[in-house]
């Protein structure tokens, strides 16, 4: 469960490889043939944490994995992906609009800022924080990119069950570059954490962050966070030896 463009398909394929399961993806819970799902199945959805949906998942014995990614990287990925995939209009069953305004836009455009701070983007980005504190396991995309074997192994350990291959073997079997080559709609792009820092103007980033208070709860920021600032101050001003005057 996560917001779109968070690395969902990559994680889904990694879990499929690790456990030897079938996979399914759907835009809405109504699209899922719940009574015909395989006993072992990885199901990917972008959907709100409603009581009815939670009951469905519980009835069919699903464990919930929640995936987070920096919201600004998600928005940049949506901006790049939407012109190549009209099916984005089906995300959340079209709640609060679609991505048509992003066609021809760039990260420094007024159209991108309006979308990123508007109700459509807020709806999409709300999915991950809705599930974050209640899932059976959670993972950040950035950690998965940096330490794929360790993070997948941790995830498998938290979920339980019996994997059919090691985390290292699953990661080797699901290579990001090969997934990129297979995609016909530019589904897999750069996949590089922090790309937003190179593309989104600072004032836009601050304006976008202002409408997403959940960002900090997920461990993300658009500038130097307080904990890091204090740690760096301690290194340079408290713990570091005093410079000797010459």
């Amino acid at each position: 469960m996560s917001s779109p463009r968070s690395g969902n398909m990559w994680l889904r394929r990694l879990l499929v490889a690790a456990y030897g399961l079938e996979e399914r993806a759907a835009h809405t819970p109504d699209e899922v043939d719940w009574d015909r799902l395989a006993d072992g199945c990885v199901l990917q959805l972008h959907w709100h944490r409603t009581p009815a949906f939670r009951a469905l998942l519980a009835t069919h014995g699903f464990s919930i994995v929640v995936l987070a990614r920096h919201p600004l990287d998600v928005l940049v990925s949506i901006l790049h992906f939407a012109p190549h995939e009209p099916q984005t209009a089906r995300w959340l069953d079209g709640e609060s609009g679609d991505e048509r305004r992003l066609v021809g836009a760039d990260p420094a455009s007024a159209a991108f800022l309006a979308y990123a701070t508007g109700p459509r983007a807020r709806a999409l980005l709300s999915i991950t924080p809705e599930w974050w504190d209640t899932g059976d396991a959670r993972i950040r995309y950035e950690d998965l990119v940096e330490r794929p074997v360790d993070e997948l192994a941790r995830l498998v350990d938290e979920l339980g069950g019996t994997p059919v291959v090691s985390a290292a073997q699953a990661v080797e079997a699901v290579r990001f570059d090969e997934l990129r080559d297979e995609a016909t709609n530019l589904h897999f792009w750069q996949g590089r954490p922090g790309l937003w820092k190179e593309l989104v103007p600072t004032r836009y980033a601050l304006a976008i962050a202002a409408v997403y208070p959940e960002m900090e709860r997920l461990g993300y920021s658009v500038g130097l966070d307080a904990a890091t600032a204090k740690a760096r101050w301690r290194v340079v001003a408290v713990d570091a030896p005093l410079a000797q005057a010459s």
Side-chain angles (χ1 to χ4, degrees), residues 103-215:
V103 176
D106 62 67
S109 65
F112 173 70
L113 181 61
Y115 174 89
T117 56
R120 173 62 168 172
R122 287 202 299 272
L124 297 175
L125 289 178
S126 71
I127 300 172
T128 291
E130 285 180 15
W131 293 92
W132 187 246
D133 294 324
T134 59
D136 297 291
R138 60 189 190 184
I139 187 170
R140 289 186 176 84
Y141 175 79
E142 295 79 7
D143 296 333
L144 188 60
V145 170
E146 183 178 358
R147 303 177 300 276
V149 174
D150 290 345
E151 285 298 299
L152 181 59
R154 177 187 62 79
L155 202 58
V156 167
D157 184 60
E158 292 181 6
L159 290 172
T162 305
V164 296
V165 299
S166 69
Q169 290 171 313
V171 169
E172 180 61 28
V174 186
R175 299 176 63 88
F176 195 90
D177 54 349
E178 293 179 359
L179 293 174
R180 182 189 292 117
D181 292 340
E182 293 173 9
T184 58
N185 56 1
L186 299 185
H187 190 102
F188 292 90
W189 186 30
Q190 295 197 21
R192 181 157 53 93
L195 184 61
W196 68 268
K197 298 175 184 178
E198 303 173 22
L199 301 173
V200 180
T202 300
R203 65 186 182 90
Y204 278 25
L206 292 172
I208 294 168
V211 300
Y212 294 112
E214 304 92 346
M215 187 182 298

Side-chain angles (χ1 to χ4, degrees), residues 2 18 52 71 108 244:
S2 72
Q244 298 296 318

Side-chain angles (χ1 to χ4, degrees), residues 34-122:
W34 295 94
D35 293 329
R36 294 189 178 182
L37 288 175
D39 289 338
C41 176
V42 180
L43 175 63
Q44 175 192 320
L45 277 158
H46 313 300
W47 201 251
H48 290 303
R49 188 176 175 271
T50 65
F53 185 36
R54 289 164 54 199
L56 262 177
L57 294 171
T59 297
H60 292 275
F62 277 100
S63 297
I64 310 300
V65 180
V66 191
L67 174 64
R69 187 180 186 183
H70 196 297
L72 280 160
D73 273 334
V74 170
L75 291 168
V76 168
S77 185
I78 290 174
L79 173 66
H80 177 264
F81 180 65
H84 306 283
E85 181 49 81
Q87 289 289 317
T88 64
R90 300 190 62 198
W91 287 340
L92 280 182
D93 208 19
E95 180 181 333
S96 301
D98 55 37
E99 284 59 55
R100 283 180 292 181
R101 71 170 66 185
L102 293 179
V103 176
D106 62 67
S109 65
F112 173 70
L113 181 61
Y115 174 89
T117 56
R120 173 62 168 172
R122 287 202 299 272

